[in-house]
Amino acid sequence: MKLVDEFRDVRLARSLTERIRQRSVRAARLMEFCGSHTVAIFKHGIRQLLPPGVEMMSGPGCPVCVTDNADIDKAIALAGLPDVILCSFGDMLKVPGSNSSLQQAKAEGADVRIVYSTMDALEIARRNPEKGVIFLGVGFETTIPTIAASVLAAEAGAIDNYHVFSLGKLCPPVMKALLDAGEVKIDGIICPGHVSAIIGSRPYEFIPRDYGIACVVSGFEPVDILLAVDMLIAQIEAGLPAVEIAYRRGVTPEGNQRAQQLMEQVFDRCPARWRGVGQVPQSGLRLKEKYRRFNAELAFPVEPGPTREPKGCRCGEVLRGVAKPTDCQLFRSVCTPERPVGPCMVSYEGACSSYYLYGDDSGE
Ligand code: SF4
């Protein structure tokens, strides 16, 4: 395997930048779907390296950001139940729901614990048999196999007090929903690297075929991203959209079939709510009937009440690519990473956080 330094090599980056400039004739709008790409693009100043005709926009690929308020409210309600321990990855705690957050619920006495893996949550369940332990299962295809593995491990170990609040989401269906909505014109998509390591590149084939949009799967280093942009511009200029991989050290067309089998063994596809996008068919996962005893929503039915979005927050539009963080009146003045108003500022992978930390389009 090549050292990561090669993918940060300044000379390689310069030569790719030059090649993009030479290739680029027509205007092109590229969307990076994934929040990790947004961070890398801002951190390495890649937008400023591209010719003026190549515009980049951020997509909805941050699992924290796209978790719907109704689901956050439900998680907070679950955390407030007696004899329940709610386990979550840390970045969900500060996300505001309609009236509170998990962090606030914890401060008010709820037993909310930060875990670093699903197996941590399972171990908490094993050690606390008198409690109901709920894992807040937020994530894309990258995380879902580990959630599936935890359910199988709970079954094998007869850890019946372990439950999953399944908020896992699948990326290709929401890409289709965004393209069907037609709100933003996109010529090319930088497809997510981590997600594609699991699902492969084949699930994106409908995008060039049905929408005529170029697709390249990218890694996360500056040379990876510039190579992906170069490949996208080559497709766009040739008028030959396709799915290509610029991240061959991590992604194959087939993906990780063992991980895919795990997902299919434990979950069925179902509709899911995405912040800003609404309900998207076949984009969520619910536990199969066989594993229903691990389903937190069935074990602990709660009705959290009506939802409301943070006042003035434009995260929904930011996630759909129809507004930039700098279009939001609260950006920087009221909403900052220290005092975030919406999830796109809470999450390090959120577009608002990247704009705040690494500069807006003008490079400020
Ligand atoms: Fe929401 Fe803050 Fe982003 Fe505005 S700047 S859209 S309030 S997260």
Side-chain angles (χ1 to χ4, degrees), residues 127-169:
R127 290 186 184 190
N128 296 274
E130 75 290 359
K131 303 265 188 181
V133 174
I134 299 172
F135 177 72
L136 184 57
V138 169
F140 291 153
E141 291 92 333
T142 326
T143 311
I144 294 162
T146 68
I147 303 174
S150 75
V151 171
L152 295 179
E155 186 190 43
I159 307 176
D160 288 339
N161 62 324
Y162 177 71
H163 305 278
V164 171
F165 181 17
S166 177
L167 295 175
K169 291 185 174 58

mmCIF file of all heavy atoms in Angstrom, residues 127-169:
data_model
loop_
_atom_site.group_PDB
_atom_site.id
_atom_site.type_symbol
_atom_site.label_atom_id
_atom_site.label_comp_id
_atom_site.label_asym_id
_atom_site.label_seq_id
_atom_site.Cartn_x
_atom_site.Cartn_y
_atom_site.Cartn_z
ATOM 1 N N ARG A 127 -23.200 -5.635 31.128
ATOM 2 C CA ARG A 127 -22.879 -5.324 32.537
ATOM 3 C C ARG A 127 -24.074 -4.763 33.314
ATOM 4 O O ARG A 127 -23.980 -4.576 34.523
ATOM 5 C CB ARG A 127 -21.754 -4.286 32.583
ATOM 6 C CG ARG A 127 -20.439 -4.860 32.132
ATOM 7 C CD ARG A 127 -19.347 -3.856 32.332
ATOM 8 N NE ARG A 127 -18.101 -4.376 31.810
ATOM 9 C CZ ARG A 127 -16.936 -3.803 32.005
ATOM 10 N NH1 ARG A 127 -16.856 -2.694 32.690
ATOM 11 N NH2 ARG A 127 -15.852 -4.338 31.513
ATOM 12 N N ASN A 128 -25.128 -4.391 32.588
ATOM 13 C CA ASN A 128 -26.294 -3.774 33.258
ATOM 14 C C ASN A 128 -27.569 -4.517 32.883
ATOM 15 O O ASN A 128 -28.473 -3.949 32.256
ATOM 16 C CB ASN A 128 -26.412 -2.297 32.862
ATOM 17 C CG ASN A 128 -25.246 -1.463 33.335
ATOM 18 O OD1 ASN A 128 -25.243 -0.977 34.473
ATOM 19 N ND2 ASN A 128 -24.243 -1.315 32.487
ATOM 20 N N PRO A 129 -27.676 -5.801 33.268
ATOM 21 C CA PRO A 129 -28.810 -6.602 32.811
ATOM 22 C C PRO A 129 -30.159 -6.088 33.309
ATOM 23 O O PRO A 129 -31.192 -6.388 32.718
ATOM 24 C CB PRO A 129 -28.512 -8.000 33.375
ATOM 25 C CG PRO A 129 -27.541 -7.777 34.473
ATOM 26 C CD PRO A 129 -26.763 -6.557 34.130
ATOM 27 N N GLU A 130 -30.156 -5.266 34.363
ATOM 28 C CA GLU A 130 -31.423 -4.758 34.896
ATOM 29 C C GLU A 130 -31.916 -3.536 34.114
ATOM 30 O O GLU A 130 -33.035 -3.069 34.326
ATOM 31 C CB GLU A 130 -31.265 -4.427 36.392
ATOM 32 C CG GLU A 130 -30.491 -3.167 36.739
ATOM 33 C CD GLU A 130 -28.978 -3.223 36.477
ATOM 34 O OE1 GLU A 130 -28.472 -4.271 36.029
ATOM 35 O OE2 GLU A 130 -28.308 -2.203 36.695
ATOM 36 N N LYS A 131 -31.075 -3.010 33.214
ATOM 37 C CA LYS A 131 -31.439 -1.807 32.434
ATOM 38 C C LYS A 131 -31.716 -2.179 30.979
ATOM 39 O O LYS A 131 -31.175 -3.158 30.460
ATOM 40 C CB LYS A 131 -30.272 -0.808 32.435
ATOM 41 C CG LYS A 131 -29.814 -0.383 33.814
ATOM 42 C CD LYS A 131 -30.482 0.891 34.217
ATOM 43 C CE LYS A 131 -29.872 1.395 35.516
ATOM 44 N NZ LYS A 131 -30.497 2.631 35.965
ATOM 45 N N GLY A 132 -32.510 -1.341 30.321
ATOM 46 C CA GLY A 132 -32.629 -1.434 28.872
ATOM 47 C C GLY A 132 -31.548 -0.552 28.261
ATOM 48 O O GLY A 132 -31.447 0.633 28.600
ATOM 49 N N VAL A 133 -30.719 -1.117 27.421
ATOM 50 C CA VAL A 133 -29.630 -0.347 26.814
ATOM 51 C C VAL A 133 -29.946 -0.153 25.330
ATOM 52 O O VAL A 133 -30.161 -1.124 24.603
ATOM 53 C CB VAL A 133 -28.270 -1.048 27.014
ATOM 54 C CG1 VAL A 133 -27.161 -0.329 26.254
ATOM 55 C CG2 VAL A 133 -27.937 -1.099 28.500
ATOM 56 N N ILE A 134 -29.992 1.119 24.928
ATOM 57 C CA ILE A 134 -30.376 1.455 23.549
ATOM 58 C C ILE A 134 -29.182 2.083 22.844
ATOM 59 O O ILE A 134 -28.617 3.070 23.322
ATOM 60 C CB ILE A 134 -31.552 2.449 23.538
ATOM 61 C CG1 ILE A 134 -32.775 1.833 24.232
ATOM 62 C CG2 ILE A 134 -31.895 2.858 22.109
ATOM 63 C CD1 ILE A 134 -33.925 2.814 24.435
ATOM 64 N N PHE A 135 -28.821 1.490 21.713
ATOM 65 C CA PHE A 135 -27.784 2.115 20.881
ATOM 66 C C PHE A 135 -28.463 2.986 19.836
ATOM 67 O O PHE A 135 -29.342 2.521 19.103
ATOM 68 C CB PHE A 135 -26.898 1.062 20.202
ATOM 69 C CG PHE A 135 -25.883 1.681 19.284
ATOM 70 C CD1 PHE A 135 -24.805 2.378 19.811
ATOM 71 C CD2 PHE A 135 -26.026 1.616 17.906
ATOM 72 C CE1 PHE A 135 -23.876 2.989 18.975
ATOM 73 C CE2 PHE A 135 -25.099 2.225 17.060
ATOM 74 C CZ PHE A 135 -24.028 2.909 17.598
ATOM 75 N N LEU A 136 -28.048 4.257 19.760
ATOM 76 C CA LEU A 136 -28.602 5.184 18.776
ATOM 77 C C LEU A 136 -27.877 4.952 17.452
ATOM 78 O O LEU A 136 -26.746 5.398 17.256
ATOM 79 C CB LEU A 136 -28.415 6.627 19.271
ATOM 80 C CG LEU A 136 -29.007 7.750 18.427
ATOM 81 C CD1 LEU A 136 -30.499 7.555 18.215
ATOM 82 C CD2 LEU A 136 -28.734 9.098 19.070
ATOM 83 N N GLY A 137 -28.536 4.225 16.576
ATOM 84 C CA GLY A 137 -27.869 3.731 15.364
ATOM 85 C C GLY A 137 -27.903 4.701 14.208
ATOM 86 O O GLY A 137 -28.563 4.469 13.197
ATOM 87 N N VAL A 138 -27.170 5.820 14.347
ATOM 88 C CA VAL A 138 -27.083 6.815 13.277
ATOM 89 C C VAL A 138 -25.876 6.481 12.404
ATOM 90 O O VAL A 138 -24.794 6.213 12.934
ATOM 91 C CB VAL A 138 -26.918 8.226 13.886
ATOM 92 C CG1 VAL A 138 -26.553 9.252 12.820
ATOM 93 C CG2 VAL A 138 -28.194 8.641 14.611
ATOM 94 N N GLY A 139 -26.030 6.518 11.094
ATOM 95 C CA GLY A 139 -24.868 6.293 10.234
ATOM 96 C C GLY A 139 -25.285 5.863 8.845
ATOM 97 O O GLY A 139 -26.449 5.537 8.589
ATOM 98 N N PHE A 140 -24.292 5.880 7.940
ATOM 99 C CA PHE A 140 -24.507 5.417 6.572
ATOM 100 C C PHE A 140 -24.004 3.971 6.448
ATOM 101 O O PHE A 140 -23.689 3.325 7.447
ATOM 102 C CB PHE A 140 -23.765 6.334 5.596
ATOM 103 C CG PHE A 140 -24.335 7.727 5.490
ATOM 104 C CD1 PHE A 140 -23.525 8.794 5.131
ATOM 105 C CD2 PHE A 140 -25.679 7.979 5.724
ATOM 106 C CE1 PHE A 140 -24.038 10.081 5.012
ATOM 107 C CE2 PHE A 140 -26.205 9.257 5.607
ATOM 108 C CZ PHE A 140 -25.375 10.318 5.251
ATOM 109 N N GLU A 141 -23.852 3.527 5.222
ATOM 110 C CA GLU A 141 -23.452 2.140 4.957
ATOM 111 C C GLU A 141 -22.125 1.785 5.638
ATOM 112 O O GLU A 141 -21.845 0.608 5.879
ATOM 113 C CB GLU A 141 -23.330 1.905 3.448
ATOM 114 C CG GLU A 141 -24.660 1.936 2.699
ATOM 115 C CD GLU A 141 -25.023 3.297 2.151
ATOM 116 O OE1 GLU A 141 -24.583 4.307 2.730
ATOM 117 O OE2 GLU A 141 -25.759 3.364 1.149
ATOM 118 N N THR A 142 -21.316 2.782 5.923
ATOM 119 C CA THR A 142 -20.032 2.539 6.579
ATOM 120 C C THR A 142 -20.228 1.983 7.990
ATOM 121 O O THR A 142 -19.459 1.144 8.457
ATOM 122 C CB THR A 142 -19.265 3.879 6.695
ATOM 123 O OG1 THR A 142 -19.568 4.680 5.570
ATOM 124 C CG2 THR A 142 -17.791 3.657 6.818
ATOM 125 N N THR A 143 -21.238 2.473 8.674
ATOM 126 C CA THR A 143 -21.463 2.132 10.083
ATOM 127 C C THR A 143 -22.429 0.956 10.244
ATOM 128 O O THR A 143 -22.334 0.200 11.217
ATOM 129 C CB THR A 143 -22.077 3.367 10.805
ATOM 130 O OG1 THR A 143 -21.306 4.508 10.480
ATOM 131 C CG2 THR A 143 -22.117 3.186 12.311
ATOM 132 N N ILE A 144 -23.344 0.829 9.291
ATOM 133 C CA ILE A 144 -24.454 -0.127 9.465
ATOM 134 C C ILE A 144 -23.972 -1.572 9.672
ATOM 135 O O ILE A 144 -24.536 -2.287 10.524
ATOM 136 C CB ILE A 144 -25.449 0.006 8.288
ATOM 137 C CG1 ILE A 144 -26.127 1.382 8.349
ATOM 138 C CG2 ILE A 144 -26.509 -1.086 8.352
ATOM 139 C CD1 ILE A 144 -26.781 1.808 7.062
ATOM 140 N N PRO A 145 -22.945 -2.041 8.960
ATOM 141 C CA PRO A 145 -22.514 -3.427 9.225
ATOM 142 C C PRO A 145 -22.087 -3.657 10.678
ATOM 143 O O PRO A 145 -22.309 -4.740 11.227
ATOM 144 C CB PRO A 145 -21.327 -3.624 8.271
ATOM 145 C CG PRO A 145 -21.580 -2.651 7.161
ATOM 146 C CD PRO A 145 -22.208 -1.457 7.819
ATOM 147 N N THR A 146 -21.520 -2.628 11.312
ATOM 148 C CA THR A 146 -21.117 -2.804 12.714
ATOM 149 C C THR A 146 -22.343 -2.872 13.626
ATOM 150 O O THR A 146 -22.322 -3.555 14.649
ATOM 151 C CB THR A 146 -20.180 -1.665 13.187
ATOM 152 O OG1 THR A 146 -20.917 -0.439 13.236
ATOM 153 C CG2 THR A 146 -18.979 -1.508 12.279
ATOM 154 N N ILE A 147 -23.405 -2.164 13.241
ATOM 155 C CA ILE A 147 -24.654 -2.253 14.017
ATOM 156 C C ILE A 147 -25.254 -3.647 13.842
ATOM 157 O O ILE A 147 -25.696 -4.282 14.813
ATOM 158 C CB ILE A 147 -25.653 -1.154 13.583
ATOM 159 C CG1 ILE A 147 -25.022 0.236 13.747
ATOM 160 C CG2 ILE A 147 -26.938 -1.259 14.396
ATOM 161 C CD1 ILE A 147 -25.872 1.383 13.218
ATOM 162 N N ALA A 148 -25.231 -4.123 12.596
ATOM 163 C CA ALA A 148 -25.741 -5.479 12.330
ATOM 164 C C ALA A 148 -24.947 -6.504 13.152
ATOM 165 O O ALA A 148 -25.530 -7.416 13.770
ATOM 166 C CB ALA A 148 -25.641 -5.784 10.840
ATOM 167 N N ALA A 149 -23.631 -6.337 13.179
ATOM 168 C CA ALA A 149 -22.780 -7.292 13.923
ATOM 169 C C ALA A 149 -23.120 -7.263 15.405
ATOM 170 O O ALA A 149 -23.109 -8.308 16.081
ATOM 171 C CB ALA A 149 -21.307 -6.962 13.698
ATOM 172 N N SER A 150 -23.460 -6.076 15.927
ATOM 173 C CA SER A 150 -23.780 -5.989 17.360
ATOM 174 C C SER A 150 -25.083 -6.727 17.667
ATOM 175 O O SER A 150 -25.226 -7.346 18.729
ATOM 176 C CB SER A 150 -23.859 -4.526 17.821
ATOM 177 O OG SER A 150 -25.056 -3.901 17.380
ATOM 178 N N VAL A 151 -26.037 -6.674 16.741
ATOM 179 C CA VAL A 151 -27.312 -7.384 16.952
ATOM 180 C C VAL A 151 -27.060 -8.894 16.939
ATOM 181 O O VAL A 151 -27.585 -9.635 17.792
ATOM 182 C CB VAL A 151 -28.344 -6.966 15.877
ATOM 183 C CG1 VAL A 151 -29.586 -7.839 15.943
ATOM 184 C CG2 VAL A 151 -28.718 -5.495 16.049
ATOM 185 N N LEU A 152 -26.240 -9.341 15.997
ATOM 186 C CA LEU A 152 -25.930 -10.781 15.947
ATOM 187 C C LEU A 152 -25.185 -11.223 17.208
ATOM 188 O O LEU A 152 -25.441 -12.310 17.746
ATOM 189 C CB LEU A 152 -25.108 -11.096 14.695
ATOM 190 C CG LEU A 152 -25.835 -10.878 13.362
ATOM 191 C CD1 LEU A 152 -24.911 -11.190 12.194
ATOM 192 C CD2 LEU A 152 -27.102 -11.726 13.276
ATOM 193 N N ALA A 153 -24.291 -10.342 17.689
ATOM 194 C CA ALA A 153 -23.544 -10.679 18.908
ATOM 195 C C ALA A 153 -24.482 -10.708 20.119
ATOM 196 O O ALA A 153 -24.340 -11.563 21.014
ATOM 197 C CB ALA A 153 -22.415 -9.677 19.132
ATOM 198 N N ALA A 154 -25.453 -9.777 20.140
ATOM 199 C CA ALA A 154 -26.429 -9.771 21.245
ATOM 200 C C ALA A 154 -27.254 -11.055 21.223
ATOM 201 O O ALA A 154 -27.523 -11.655 22.271
ATOM 202 C CB ALA A 154 -27.345 -8.549 21.117
ATOM 203 N N GLU A 155 -27.621 -11.476 20.016
ATOM 204 C CA GLU A 155 -28.399 -12.711 19.902
ATOM 205 C C GLU A 155 -27.567 -13.915 20.352
ATOM 206 O O GLU A 155 -28.027 -14.745 21.152
ATOM 207 C CB GLU A 155 -28.852 -12.913 18.454
ATOM 208 C CG GLU A 155 -29.782 -14.110 18.311
ATOM 209 C CD GLU A 155 -30.036 -14.471 16.867
ATOM 210 O OE1 GLU A 155 -29.086 -14.479 16.054
ATOM 211 O OE2 GLU A 155 -31.190 -14.780 16.559
ATOM 212 N N ALA A 156 -26.331 -13.968 19.881
ATOM 213 C CA ALA A 156 -25.460 -15.109 20.221
ATOM 214 C C ALA A 156 -25.192 -15.164 21.719
ATOM 215 O O ALA A 156 -25.101 -16.245 22.312
ATOM 216 C CB ALA A 156 -24.158 -15.008 19.439
ATOM 217 N N GLY A 157 -25.064 -13.967 22.344
ATOM 218 C CA GLY A 157 -24.749 -13.927 23.773
ATOM 219 C C GLY A 157 -25.982 -13.830 24.656
ATOM 220 O O GLY A 157 -25.851 -13.628 25.868
ATOM 221 N N ALA A 158 -27.169 -13.923 24.048
ATOM 222 C CA ALA A 158 -28.440 -13.803 24.783
ATOM 223 C C ALA A 158 -28.478 -12.526 25.625
ATOM 224 O O ALA A 158 -28.909 -12.522 26.784
ATOM 225 C CB ALA A 158 -28.680 -15.039 25.651
ATOM 226 N N ILE A 159 -28.002 -11.428 25.015
ATOM 227 C CA ILE A 159 -28.039 -10.130 25.719
ATOM 228 C C ILE A 159 -29.346 -9.444 25.282
ATOM 229 O O ILE A 159 -29.367 -8.589 24.394
ATOM 230 C CB ILE A 159 -26.784 -9.286 25.393
ATOM 231 C CG1 ILE A 159 -25.528 -10.107 25.669
ATOM 232 C CG2 ILE A 159 -26.769 -7.995 26.213
ATOM 233 C CD1 ILE A 159 -24.232 -9.425 25.293
ATOM 234 N N ASP A 160 -30.438 -9.833 25.930
ATOM 235 C CA ASP A 160 -31.756 -9.405 25.460
ATOM 236 C C ASP A 160 -32.130 -7.995 25.893
ATOM 237 O O ASP A 160 -33.173 -7.478 25.461
ATOM 238 C CB ASP A 160 -32.825 -10.405 25.932
ATOM 239 C CG ASP A 160 -32.716 -11.723 25.168
ATOM 240 O OD1 ASP A 160 -32.127 -11.709 24.072
ATOM 241 O OD2 ASP A 160 -33.185 -12.761 25.674
ATOM 242 N N ASN A 161 -31.313 -7.379 26.744
ATOM 243 C CA ASN A 161 -31.607 -5.991 27.135
ATOM 244 C C ASN A 161 -30.912 -4.991 26.199
ATOM 245 O O ASN A 161 -30.925 -3.793 26.451
ATOM 246 C CB ASN A 161 -31.167 -5.726 28.577
ATOM 247 C CG ASN A 161 -29.669 -5.889 28.770
ATOM 248 O OD1 ASN A 161 -29.051 -6.764 28.141
ATOM 249 N ND2 ASN A 161 -29.071 -5.070 29.617
ATOM 250 N N TYR A 162 -30.284 -5.486 25.111
ATOM 251 C CA TYR A 162 -29.635 -4.607 24.126
ATOM 252 C C TYR A 162 -30.643 -4.288 23.019
ATOM 253 O O TYR A 162 -31.315 -5.188 22.506
ATOM 254 C CB TYR A 162 -28.414 -5.302 23.526
ATOM 255 C CG TYR A 162 -27.710 -4.501 22.456
ATOM 256 C CD1 TYR A 162 -26.978 -3.363 22.774
ATOM 257 C CD2 TYR A 162 -27.770 -4.877 21.110
ATOM 258 C CE1 TYR A 162 -26.327 -2.632 21.793
ATOM 259 C CE2 TYR A 162 -27.124 -4.152 20.122
ATOM 260 C CZ TYR A 162 -26.400 -3.032 20.473
ATOM 261 O OH TYR A 162 -25.761 -2.295 19.502
ATOM 262 N N HIS A 163 -30.749 -3.017 22.663
ATOM 263 C CA HIS A 163 -31.710 -2.594 21.640
ATOM 264 C C HIS A 163 -31.062 -1.558 20.721
ATOM 265 O O HIS A 163 -30.156 -0.831 21.134
ATOM 266 C CB HIS A 163 -32.948 -1.966 22.288
ATOM 267 C CG HIS A 163 -33.591 -2.859 23.293
ATOM 268 N ND1 HIS A 163 -34.454 -3.877 22.958
ATOM 269 C CD2 HIS A 163 -33.460 -2.895 24.644
ATOM 270 C CE1 HIS A 163 -34.839 -4.504 24.054
ATOM 271 N NE2 HIS A 163 -34.261 -3.926 25.089
ATOM 272 N N VAL A 164 -31.551 -1.520 19.511
ATOM 273 C CA VAL A 164 -31.036 -0.547 18.531
ATOM 274 C C VAL A 164 -32.179 0.356 18.088
ATOM 275 O O VAL A 164 -33.247 -0.136 17.704
ATOM 276 C CB VAL A 164 -30.435 -1.278 17.307
ATOM 277 C CG1 VAL A 164 -30.105 -0.288 16.197
ATOM 278 C CG2 VAL A 164 -29.187 -2.066 17.705
ATOM 279 N N PHE A 165 -31.956 1.670 18.183
ATOM 280 C CA PHE A 165 -32.859 2.626 17.544
ATOM 281 C C PHE A 165 -32.267 2.861 16.155
ATOM 282 O O PHE A 165 -31.294 3.596 16.001
ATOM 283 C CB PHE A 165 -32.934 3.912 18.365
ATOM 284 C CG PHE A 165 -33.859 4.965 17.787
ATOM 285 C CD1 PHE A 165 -34.823 4.653 16.832
ATOM 286 C CD2 PHE A 165 -33.771 6.283 18.223
ATOM 287 C CE1 PHE A 165 -35.667 5.620 16.307
ATOM 288 C CE2 PHE A 165 -34.612 7.260 17.701
ATOM 289 C CZ PHE A 165 -35.554 6.918 16.737
ATOM 290 N N SER A 166 -32.832 2.182 15.172
ATOM 291 C CA SER A 166 -32.206 2.113 13.847
ATOM 292 C C SER A 166 -32.487 3.367 13.026
ATOM 293 O O SER A 166 -33.596 3.560 12.532
ATOM 294 C CB SER A 166 -32.716 0.873 13.108
ATOM 295 O OG SER A 166 -32.164 0.850 11.805
ATOM 296 N N LEU A 167 -31.453 4.206 12.907
ATOM 297 C CA LEU A 167 -31.562 5.414 12.073
ATOM 298 C C LEU A 167 -30.554 5.368 10.932
ATOM 299 O O LEU A 167 -30.180 6.396 10.374
ATOM 300 C CB LEU A 167 -31.341 6.663 12.933
ATOM 301 C CG LEU A 167 -32.394 6.907 14.016
ATOM 302 C CD1 LEU A 167 -32.013 8.109 14.879
ATOM 303 C CD2 LEU A 167 -33.772 7.120 13.398
ATOM 304 N N GLY A 168 -30.075 4.152 10.621
ATOM 305 C CA GLY A 168 -29.119 3.998 9.518
ATOM 306 C C GLY A 168 -29.755 4.425 8.199
ATOM 307 O O GLY A 168 -30.956 4.226 7.989
ATOM 308 N N LYS A 169 -28.931 5.015 7.339
ATOM 309 C CA LYS A 169 -29.447 5.519 6.060
ATOM 310 C C LYS A 169 -28.552 5.077 4.906
ATOM 311 O O LYS A 169 -27.344 4.941 5.063
ATOM 312 C CB LYS A 169 -29.542 7.044 6.101
ATOM 313 C CG LYS A 169 -30.628 7.534 7.045
ATOM 314 C CD LYS A 169 -30.795 9.033 6.992
ATOM 315 C CE LYS A 169 -31.986 9.474 7.822
ATOM 316 N NZ LYS A 169 -31.894 9.059 9.230
#
